[in-house]
Amino acid sequence: QVQLVESGGGLVQAGGSLRLSCAASRSISEFNNMGWYRQAPGKQRELVALSTNLGSTKYVDSVKGRFTISRDNAKNTVYLQMNSLKPEDTAAYYCNGYYRLQAYWGQGTQVTVSS
């Protein structure tokens, strides 16, 4: 079974940084794309960053210039480097990947940014 496991969340002050990790149970090169989503209480889940297996990346406007999605194929891991964090970034962050036209989700990791 395909599994994705996130880690790296925590409490950080505004302006600080965190790096989230998403470890996959199989080679991430076999996924059509992988991305990071987030959901804050009372809000809809939104796509934060996307990485395709063709090498392109996309970001929601609110995180452009601050967040970076990257891959380490040897470690079967996708990262989300988050810099200059704002309280508005507080949310549960989820790793997502499409494999053979089916979506898989991690369990989520909480990011809390204090003011």
Side-chain angles (χ1 to χ4, degrees):
Q1 189 78 355
V2 175
Q3 292 182 324
L4 302 174
V5 180
E6 303 101 329
S7 63
L11 176 64
V12 64
Q13 290 185 313
S17 298
L18 285 174
R19 188 179 73 166
L20 306 184
S21 298
C22 173
S25 62
R26 64 189 308 111
S27 174
I28 59 175
S29 65
E30 296 178 310
F31 289 83
N32 289 335
N33 58 66
M34 301 197 74
W36 287 94
Y37 291 72
R38 67 185 180 187
Q39 186 168 23
K43 297 183 179 180
Q44 293 182 309
R45 186 172 298 187
E46 67 172 347
L47 175 64
V48 177
L50 180 69
S51 174
T52 75
N53 59 0
L54 299 178
S56 64
T57 59
K58 296 183 181 296
Y59 301 91
V60 67
D61 287 343
S62 61
V63 309
K64 286 182 178 179
R66 301 189 296 119
F67 290 10
T68 304
I69 187 170
S70 62
R71 298 176 177 232
D72 188 332
N73 291 332
K75 296 181 179 179
N76 294 340
T77 300
V78 177
Y79 301 97
L80 183 67
Q81 179 67 46
M82 305 184 294
N83 298 325
S84 302
L85 283 162
K86 304 175 180 180
E88 300 83 71
D89 296 318
T90 296
Y93 284 72
Y94 298 87
C95 181
N96 166 261
Y98 274 84
Y99 176 73
R100 295 184 176 180
L101 304 181
Q102 187 169 352
Y104 295 89
W105 294 89
Q107 83 288 353
T109 185
Q110 180 67 38
V111 172
T112 302
V113 184
S114 64
S115 59

